[in-house]
Short mmCIF file of all heavy atoms in Angstrom, two decimals:
data_model
loop_
_atom_site.label_atom_id
_atom_site.label_comp_id
_atom_site.label_asym_id
_atom_site.label_seq_id
_atom_site.Cartn_x
_atom_site.Cartn_y
_atom_site.Cartn_z
N MET Y 53 20.91 -48.12 52.84
CA MET Y 53 19.87 -48.80 52.04
C MET Y 53 18.61 -49.13 52.74
O MET Y 53 17.59 -49.00 52.14
CB MET Y 53 20.59 -50.20 51.50
CG MET Y 53 19.72 -50.81 50.49
SD MET Y 53 19.65 -49.90 48.96
CE MET Y 53 18.77 -51.00 47.90
N ALA Y 54 18.72 -49.54 53.92
CA ALA Y 54 17.46 -49.93 54.77
C ALA Y 54 16.66 -48.67 55.05
O ALA Y 54 15.49 -48.70 54.98
CB ALA Y 54 17.95 -50.51 56.09
N GLN Y 55 17.38 -47.51 55.23
CA GLN Y 55 16.64 -46.32 55.44
C GLN Y 55 15.93 -45.84 54.16
O GLN Y 55 14.81 -45.34 54.22
CB GLN Y 55 17.56 -45.13 55.83
CG GLN Y 55 16.91 -43.89 56.36
CD GLN Y 55 17.93 -42.91 56.86
OE1 GLN Y 55 19.12 -43.05 56.65
NE2 GLN Y 55 17.43 -42.14 57.83
N ALA Y 56 16.49 -46.07 53.01
CA ALA Y 56 15.80 -45.63 51.66
C ALA Y 56 14.61 -46.60 51.56
O ALA Y 56 13.54 -46.12 51.08
CB ALA Y 56 16.76 -45.87 50.50
N LYS Y 57 14.71 -47.83 51.91
CA LYS Y 57 13.60 -48.79 51.79
C LYS Y 57 12.43 -48.31 52.70
O LYS Y 57 11.31 -48.40 52.34
CB LYS Y 57 14.09 -50.24 52.17
CG LYS Y 57 13.10 -51.30 51.92
CD LYS Y 57 13.60 -52.53 52.36
CE LYS Y 57 13.73 -53.47 51.12
NZ LYS Y 57 14.17 -54.92 51.61
N LYS Y 58 12.78 -47.89 53.88
CA LYS Y 58 11.82 -47.44 54.89
C LYS Y 58 11.06 -46.14 54.35
O LYS Y 58 9.86 -46.03 54.42
CB LYS Y 58 12.45 -47.10 56.18
CG LYS Y 58 11.46 -46.74 57.24
CD LYS Y 58 12.17 -46.42 58.53
CE LYS Y 58 12.26 -47.45 59.43
NZ LYS Y 58 12.89 -47.15 60.89
N ILE Y 59 11.86 -45.35 53.76
CA ILE Y 59 11.24 -43.96 53.23
C ILE Y 59 10.36 -44.24 52.02
O ILE Y 59 9.24 -43.73 51.99
CB ILE Y 59 12.41 -43.07 52.78
CG1 ILE Y 59 13.16 -42.51 54.02
CG2 ILE Y 59 11.81 -41.96 51.95
CD1 ILE Y 59 14.40 -41.70 53.68
N ILE Y 60 10.66 -45.18 51.18
CA ILE Y 60 9.89 -45.55 50.02
C ILE Y 60 8.66 -46.24 50.59
O ILE Y 60 7.54 -45.94 50.07
CB ILE Y 60 10.70 -46.49 49.11
CG1 ILE Y 60 11.74 -45.76 48.33
CG2 ILE Y 60 9.74 -47.16 48.01
CD1 ILE Y 60 12.76 -46.50 47.55
N THR Y 61 8.70 -47.10 51.50
CA THR Y 61 7.50 -47.75 52.09
C THR Y 61 6.53 -46.76 52.73
O THR Y 61 5.29 -46.77 52.46
CB THR Y 61 8.00 -48.74 53.19
OG1 THR Y 61 8.83 -49.63 52.67
CG2 THR Y 61 6.71 -49.53 53.74
N VAL Y 62 7.21 -45.76 53.45
CA VAL Y 62 6.19 -44.70 54.07
C VAL Y 62 5.61 -43.95 52.94
O VAL Y 62 4.32 -43.56 53.11
CB VAL Y 62 7.07 -43.86 54.97
CG1 VAL Y 62 6.37 -42.60 55.39
CG2 VAL Y 62 7.49 -44.61 56.22
N LEU Y 63 6.35 -43.50 51.94
CA LEU Y 63 5.69 -42.72 50.80
C LEU Y 63 4.65 -43.56 50.18
O LEU Y 63 3.59 -43.00 49.76
CB LEU Y 63 6.92 -42.35 49.85
CG LEU Y 63 7.81 -41.18 50.28
CD1 LEU Y 63 8.96 -41.07 49.28
CD2 LEU Y 63 7.02 -39.94 50.58
N LEU Y 64 4.80 -44.81 49.89
CA LEU Y 64 3.83 -45.70 49.28
C LEU Y 64 2.59 -45.76 50.13
O LEU Y 64 1.42 -45.59 49.54
CB LEU Y 64 4.40 -47.01 48.95
CG LEU Y 64 3.53 -47.88 48.32
CD1 LEU Y 64 3.14 -47.44 46.95
CD2 LEU Y 64 4.12 -49.31 48.24
N VAL Y 65 2.73 -45.94 51.47
CA VAL Y 65 1.59 -45.99 52.32
C VAL Y 65 0.87 -44.64 52.35
O VAL Y 65 -0.40 -44.68 52.20
CB VAL Y 65 1.99 -46.38 53.84
CG1 VAL Y 65 0.85 -46.15 54.84
CG2 VAL Y 65 2.46 -47.78 53.81
N VAL Y 66 1.60 -43.50 52.36
CA VAL Y 66 0.84 -42.18 52.37
C VAL Y 66 0.15 -42.02 51.04
O VAL Y 66 -0.91 -41.55 51.09
CB VAL Y 66 1.94 -41.11 52.66
CG1 VAL Y 66 1.37 -39.70 52.30
CG2 VAL Y 66 2.49 -41.12 53.97
N PHE Y 67 0.69 -42.42 49.96
CA PHE Y 67 0.03 -42.32 48.59
C PHE Y 67 -1.27 -43.15 48.50
O PHE Y 67 -2.23 -42.65 48.15
CB PHE Y 67 1.05 -42.80 47.56
CG PHE Y 67 0.34 -42.67 46.15
CD1 PHE Y 67 0.12 -41.59 45.49
CD2 PHE Y 67 0.06 -43.94 45.59
CE1 PHE Y 67 -0.55 -41.52 44.22
CE2 PHE Y 67 -0.52 -43.96 44.32
CZ PHE Y 67 -0.83 -42.74 43.61
N VAL Y 68 -1.10 -44.39 49.08
CA VAL Y 68 -2.37 -45.19 49.00
C VAL Y 68 -3.49 -44.59 49.87
O VAL Y 68 -4.52 -44.53 49.50
CB VAL Y 68 -1.97 -46.59 49.52
CG1 VAL Y 68 -3.13 -47.41 49.77
CG2 VAL Y 68 -1.06 -47.33 48.47
N LEU Y 69 -3.12 -44.23 51.07
CA LEU Y 69 -4.09 -43.57 51.88
C LEU Y 69 -4.66 -42.23 51.29
O LEU Y 69 -5.86 -42.05 51.38
CB LEU Y 69 -3.45 -43.24 53.31
CG LEU Y 69 -3.13 -44.35 54.29
CD1 LEU Y 69 -2.42 -43.91 55.49
CD2 LEU Y 69 -4.46 -45.09 54.57
N TYR Y 70 -3.87 -41.45 50.73
CA TYR Y 70 -4.30 -40.30 50.05
C TYR Y 70 -5.30 -40.54 48.95
O TYR Y 70 -6.31 -39.94 48.71
CB TYR Y 70 -3.14 -39.51 49.56
CG TYR Y 70 -3.51 -38.29 48.71
CD1 TYR Y 70 -4.07 -37.13 49.20
CD2 TYR Y 70 -3.49 -38.35 47.16
CE1 TYR Y 70 -4.36 -36.07 48.49
CE2 TYR Y 70 -3.88 -37.27 46.38
CZ TYR Y 70 -4.35 -36.17 47.03
OH TYR Y 70 -4.73 -35.16 46.23
N THR Y 71 -4.93 -41.64 48.20
CA THR Y 71 -5.81 -42.09 47.12
C THR Y 71 -7.14 -42.50 47.50
O THR Y 71 -8.21 -42.19 47.06
CB THR Y 71 -5.13 -43.21 46.21
OG1 THR Y 71 -3.89 -42.61 45.67
CG2 THR Y 71 -5.90 -43.60 45.03
N VAL Y 72 -7.13 -43.32 48.64
CA VAL Y 72 -8.34 -43.95 49.22
C VAL Y 72 -9.31 -42.82 49.66
O VAL Y 72 -10.42 -42.85 49.52
CB VAL Y 72 -8.06 -45.01 50.15
CG1 VAL Y 72 -9.24 -45.48 51.02
CG2 VAL Y 72 -7.41 -46.26 49.56
N ILE Y 73 -8.64 -41.96 50.36
CA ILE Y 73 -9.46 -40.82 51.10
C ILE Y 73 -9.96 -39.90 50.04
O ILE Y 73 -11.24 -39.47 50.10
CB ILE Y 73 -8.48 -40.14 52.15
CG1 ILE Y 73 -8.27 -41.03 53.28
CG2 ILE Y 73 -9.29 -38.80 52.60
CD1 ILE Y 73 -7.16 -40.53 54.22
N THR Y 74 -9.22 -39.53 49.03
CA THR Y 74 -9.73 -38.50 48.05
C THR Y 74 -10.55 -39.01 47.06
O THR Y 74 -11.45 -38.39 46.51
CB THR Y 74 -8.60 -37.79 47.40
OG1 THR Y 74 -7.82 -38.72 46.73
CG2 THR Y 74 -7.74 -37.03 48.39
N SER Y 75 -10.44 -40.35 46.62
CA SER Y 75 -11.16 -40.99 45.67
C SER Y 75 -11.49 -42.52 45.86
O SER Y 75 -10.86 -43.38 45.25
CB SER Y 75 -10.50 -40.79 44.29
OG SER Y 75 -11.34 -41.45 43.21
N PRO Y 76 -12.48 -42.84 46.84
CA PRO Y 76 -12.54 -44.18 47.23
C PRO Y 76 -13.16 -45.04 46.08
O PRO Y 76 -12.88 -46.28 45.95
CB PRO Y 76 -13.65 -44.14 48.38
CG PRO Y 76 -14.08 -42.77 48.43
CD PRO Y 76 -13.23 -41.87 47.60
N VAL Y 77 -13.93 -44.43 45.19
CA VAL Y 77 -14.55 -45.21 44.02
C VAL Y 77 -13.39 -45.67 43.15
O VAL Y 77 -13.38 -46.76 42.70
CB VAL Y 77 -15.57 -44.36 43.31
CG1 VAL Y 77 -15.99 -45.20 42.02
CG2 VAL Y 77 -16.73 -44.06 44.23
N ARG Y 78 -12.63 -44.73 42.77
CA ARG Y 78 -11.40 -45.04 41.87
C ARG Y 78 -10.52 -46.03 42.57
O ARG Y 78 -9.93 -46.93 41.83
CB ARG Y 78 -10.59 -43.71 41.53
CG ARG Y 78 -9.45 -43.87 40.68
CD ARG Y 78 -9.87 -44.21 39.24
NE ARG Y 78 -8.69 -44.45 38.48
CZ ARG Y 78 -8.38 -45.24 37.55
NH1 ARG Y 78 -9.30 -46.15 37.29
NH2 ARG Y 78 -7.25 -45.31 36.84
N ALA Y 79 -10.26 -45.93 43.85
CA ALA Y 79 -9.46 -46.78 44.47
C ALA Y 79 -9.94 -48.24 44.54
O ALA Y 79 -9.25 -49.20 44.21
CB ALA Y 79 -9.17 -46.39 45.93
N SER Y 80 -11.19 -48.36 44.70
CA SER Y 80 -11.84 -49.67 44.58
C SER Y 80 -11.83 -50.31 43.20
O SER Y 80 -11.69 -51.47 43.01
CB SER Y 80 -13.32 -49.60 45.06
OG SER Y 80 -14.16 -48.95 44.18
N GLU Y 81 -11.96 -49.40 42.14
CA GLU Y 81 -11.84 -49.91 40.80
C GLU Y 81 -10.34 -50.45 40.54
O GLU Y 81 -10.18 -51.50 39.85
CB GLU Y 81 -12.10 -48.74 39.88
CG GLU Y 81 -13.56 -48.41 39.72
CD GLU Y 81 -13.84 -47.21 38.90
OE1 GLU Y 81 -12.85 -46.58 38.34
OE2 GLU Y 81 -14.94 -46.75 38.82
N LEU Y 82 -9.34 -49.78 41.06
CA LEU Y 82 -7.99 -50.24 40.95
C LEU Y 82 -7.68 -51.48 41.60
O LEU Y 82 -7.07 -52.45 41.03
CB LEU Y 82 -6.95 -49.13 41.44
CG LEU Y 82 -6.92 -47.84 40.65
CD1 LEU Y 82 -6.14 -46.80 41.38
CD2 LEU Y 82 -6.39 -48.09 39.27
N VAL Y 83 -8.23 -51.68 42.84
CA VAL Y 83 -8.15 -52.94 43.54
C VAL Y 83 -8.75 -54.06 42.77
O VAL Y 83 -8.31 -55.11 42.63
CB VAL Y 83 -8.62 -52.74 45.01
CG1 VAL Y 83 -8.72 -54.11 45.68
CG2 VAL Y 83 -7.72 -51.80 45.75
N ARG Y 84 -9.97 -53.80 42.25
CA ARG Y 84 -10.75 -54.72 41.58
C ARG Y 84 -9.95 -55.23 40.33
O ARG Y 84 -9.81 -56.38 39.98
CB ARG Y 84 -12.19 -54.21 41.19
CG ARG Y 84 -13.04 -55.38 40.56
CD ARG Y 84 -14.36 -54.91 40.18
NE ARG Y 84 -15.07 -54.07 41.23
CZ ARG Y 84 -15.52 -52.83 41.18
NH1 ARG Y 84 -15.32 -52.19 40.06
NH2 ARG Y 84 -16.04 -52.21 42.20
N THR Y 85 -9.52 -54.29 39.61
CA THR Y 85 -8.69 -54.59 38.43
C THR Y 85 -7.41 -55.36 38.77
O THR Y 85 -7.00 -56.31 37.97
CB THR Y 85 -8.17 -53.27 37.73
OG1 THR Y 85 -9.38 -52.53 37.35
CG2 THR Y 85 -7.42 -53.49 36.47
N GLY Y 86 -6.77 -55.09 39.81
CA GLY Y 86 -5.58 -55.89 40.33
C GLY Y 86 -5.96 -57.40 40.64
O GLY Y 86 -5.28 -58.20 40.21
N PHE Y 87 -7.01 -57.53 41.35
CA PHE Y 87 -7.51 -58.86 41.67
C PHE Y 87 -7.86 -59.58 40.33
O PHE Y 87 -7.67 -60.85 40.31
CB PHE Y 87 -8.66 -58.76 42.64
CG PHE Y 87 -8.17 -58.67 44.09
CD1 PHE Y 87 -8.58 -57.71 44.87
CD2 PHE Y 87 -7.15 -59.46 44.60
CE1 PHE Y 87 -8.14 -57.41 46.08
CE2 PHE Y 87 -6.64 -59.25 45.85
CZ PHE Y 87 -7.20 -58.30 46.65
N VAL Y 88 -8.52 -58.87 39.38
CA VAL Y 88 -8.86 -59.64 38.20
C VAL Y 88 -7.65 -60.07 37.35
O VAL Y 88 -7.50 -61.22 36.91
CB VAL Y 88 -9.80 -58.71 37.33
CG1 VAL Y 88 -9.97 -59.32 35.81
CG2 VAL Y 88 -11.16 -58.56 38.04
N GLY Y 89 -6.56 -59.14 37.42
CA GLY Y 89 -5.33 -59.56 36.81
C GLY Y 89 -4.70 -60.71 37.46
O GLY Y 89 -4.15 -61.68 36.80
N ILE Y 90 -4.73 -60.79 38.83
CA ILE Y 90 -4.10 -61.90 39.54
C ILE Y 90 -4.82 -63.10 39.31
O ILE Y 90 -4.20 -64.23 39.05
CB ILE Y 90 -4.10 -61.58 41.06
CG1 ILE Y 90 -2.99 -60.45 41.30
CG2 ILE Y 90 -3.75 -62.83 41.86
CD1 ILE Y 90 -3.07 -59.93 42.65
N SER Y 91 -6.18 -63.01 39.28
CA SER Y 91 -7.04 -64.23 38.91
C SER Y 91 -6.75 -64.72 37.54
O SER Y 91 -6.71 -66.03 37.39
CB SER Y 91 -8.47 -63.79 39.07
OG SER Y 91 -9.31 -64.86 38.81
N ASP Y 92 -6.56 -63.86 36.63
CA ASP Y 92 -6.36 -64.27 35.22
C ASP Y 92 -5.07 -64.99 35.10
O ASP Y 92 -4.92 -65.97 34.41
CB ASP Y 92 -6.54 -63.19 34.29
CG ASP Y 92 -7.90 -62.63 34.06
OD1 ASP Y 92 -8.95 -63.32 34.48
OD2 ASP Y 92 -8.14 -61.61 33.49
N ALA Y 93 -4.09 -64.41 35.74
CA ALA Y 93 -2.75 -65.05 35.66
C ALA Y 93 -2.69 -66.41 36.33
O ALA Y 93 -2.10 -67.33 35.88
CB ALA Y 93 -1.73 -64.16 36.45
N ALA Y 94 -3.45 -66.59 37.54
CA ALA Y 94 -3.57 -67.86 38.17
C ALA Y 94 -4.12 -68.87 37.25
O ALA Y 94 -3.73 -70.01 37.16
CB ALA Y 94 -4.26 -67.66 39.44
N LYS Y 95 -5.25 -68.55 36.57
CA LYS Y 95 -5.88 -69.41 35.68
C LYS Y 95 -5.08 -69.75 34.54
O LYS Y 95 -4.96 -70.99 34.04
CB LYS Y 95 -7.14 -68.74 35.12
CG LYS Y 95 -8.31 -68.58 36.04
CD LYS Y 95 -9.53 -67.83 35.51
CE LYS Y 95 -10.51 -67.58 36.50
NZ LYS Y 95 -11.62 -66.72 36.02
N ALA Y 96 -4.29 -68.79 34.03
CA ALA Y 96 -3.36 -69.14 32.92
C ALA Y 96 -2.24 -70.12 33.35
O ALA Y 96 -1.89 -70.99 32.61
CB ALA Y 96 -2.65 -67.91 32.42
N VAL Y 97 -1.73 -69.98 34.56
CA VAL Y 97 -0.81 -70.92 35.08
C VAL Y 97 -1.35 -72.27 35.31
O VAL Y 97 -0.73 -73.30 34.90
CB VAL Y 97 -0.09 -70.36 36.41
CG1 VAL Y 97 0.70 -71.36 37.13
CG2 VAL Y 97 0.70 -69.11 36.23
N GLY Y 98 -2.54 -72.32 35.78
CA GLY Y 98 -3.18 -73.57 36.00
C GLY Y 98 -3.46 -74.32 34.59
O GLY Y 98 -3.29 -75.50 34.45
N THR Y 99 -3.92 -73.60 33.62
CA THR Y 99 -4.02 -74.21 32.28
C THR Y 99 -2.77 -74.64 31.65
O THR Y 99 -2.66 -75.76 31.13
CB THR Y 99 -4.68 -73.04 31.28
OG1 THR Y 99 -5.94 -72.58 31.90
CG2 THR Y 99 -4.92 -73.61 29.84
N PHE Y 100 -1.67 -73.89 31.83
CA PHE Y 100 -0.36 -74.16 31.46
C PHE Y 100 0.07 -75.50 32.04
O PHE Y 100 0.59 -76.53 31.39
CB PHE Y 100 0.65 -73.08 31.65
CG PHE Y 100 2.14 -73.46 31.30
CD1 PHE Y 100 2.44 -73.62 30.15
CD2 PHE Y 100 2.95 -73.74 32.41
CE1 PHE Y 100 3.72 -73.98 29.71
CE2 PHE Y 100 4.26 -74.13 32.11
CZ PHE Y 100 4.60 -74.21 30.74
N MET Y 101 -0.15 -75.54 33.42
CA MET Y 101 0.37 -76.76 34.06
C MET Y 101 -0.43 -78.06 33.68
O MET Y 101 0.07 -79.13 33.53
CB MET Y 101 0.35 -76.57 35.62
CG MET Y 101 1.22 -75.67 36.16
SD MET Y 101 2.92 -76.18 35.93
CE MET Y 101 3.83 -74.98 36.58
N THR Y 102 -1.76 -77.84 33.45
CA THR Y 102 -2.66 -78.93 33.09
C THR Y 102 -2.16 -79.49 31.70
O THR Y 102 -2.14 -80.56 31.55
CB THR Y 102 -4.09 -78.44 33.03
OG1 THR Y 102 -4.59 -78.02 34.37
CG2 THR Y 102 -4.95 -79.53 32.62
N ASN Y 103 -1.90 -78.51 30.77
CA ASN Y 103 -1.46 -79.01 29.45
C ASN Y 103 -0.09 -79.56 29.47
O ASN Y 103 0.26 -80.42 28.68
CB ASN Y 103 -1.54 -77.76 28.52
CG ASN Y 103 -2.98 -77.36 28.20
OD1 ASN Y 103 -3.87 -78.17 28.25
ND2 ASN Y 103 -3.14 -76.17 27.90
N LEU Y 104 0.72 -79.19 30.39
CA LEU Y 104 2.06 -79.67 30.53
C LEU Y 104 2.06 -81.09 31.03
O LEU Y 104 2.79 -81.96 30.55
CB LEU Y 104 2.79 -78.80 31.51
CG LEU Y 104 4.36 -79.03 31.57
CD1 LEU Y 104 4.97 -78.62 30.24
CD2 LEU Y 104 4.90 -78.14 32.65
N VAL Y 105 1.13 -81.43 31.92
CA VAL Y 105 0.95 -82.79 32.43
C VAL Y 105 0.46 -83.75 31.40
O VAL Y 105 0.78 -84.95 31.40
CB VAL Y 105 0.17 -82.81 33.78
CG1 VAL Y 105 -0.27 -84.17 34.17
CG2 VAL Y 105 0.75 -81.94 34.87
N LYS Y 106 -0.46 -83.25 30.52
CA LYS Y 106 -1.13 -84.09 29.51
C LYS Y 106 -0.14 -84.62 28.51
O LYS Y 106 0.77 -84.35 28.09
CB LYS Y 106 -2.26 -83.42 28.83
CG LYS Y 106 -3.44 -83.16 29.69
CD LYS Y 106 -4.49 -82.59 28.88
CE LYS Y 106 -5.70 -82.25 29.76
NZ LYS Y 106 -6.84 -81.60 29.08
#
């Protein structure tokens, strides 16, 4: 199981590097989209907690 996890991790790293090298603009868009999603989720949790306390 540990070996499969290591292989998947290596494949993921190779894929990310390939994507960044071949299309840096697209890679930056994907990262930006990911951070926007995380930010929106954090805001939603904050709003939920604020309304829960009230």
Side-chain angles (χ1 to χ4, degrees):
M53 185 65 172
Q55 191 174 19
K57 191 182 240 184
K58 185 185 264 187
I59 290 171
I60 290 171
T61 304
V62 169
L63 288 174
L64 183 63
V65 168
V66 168
F67 174 73
V68 169
L69 288 174
Y70 173 78
T71 303
V72 170
I73 290 169
T74 58
S75 180
V77 174
R78 178 71 177 140
S80 68
E81 290 173 2
L82 292 173
V83 170
R84 186 178 316 120
T85 301
F87 280 125
V88 167
I90 291 170
S91 174
D92 289 346
K95 288 177 188 175
V97 169
T99 302
F100 173 75
M101 291 297 182
T102 300
N103 291 331
L104 192 64
V105 172
K106 289 182 181 181

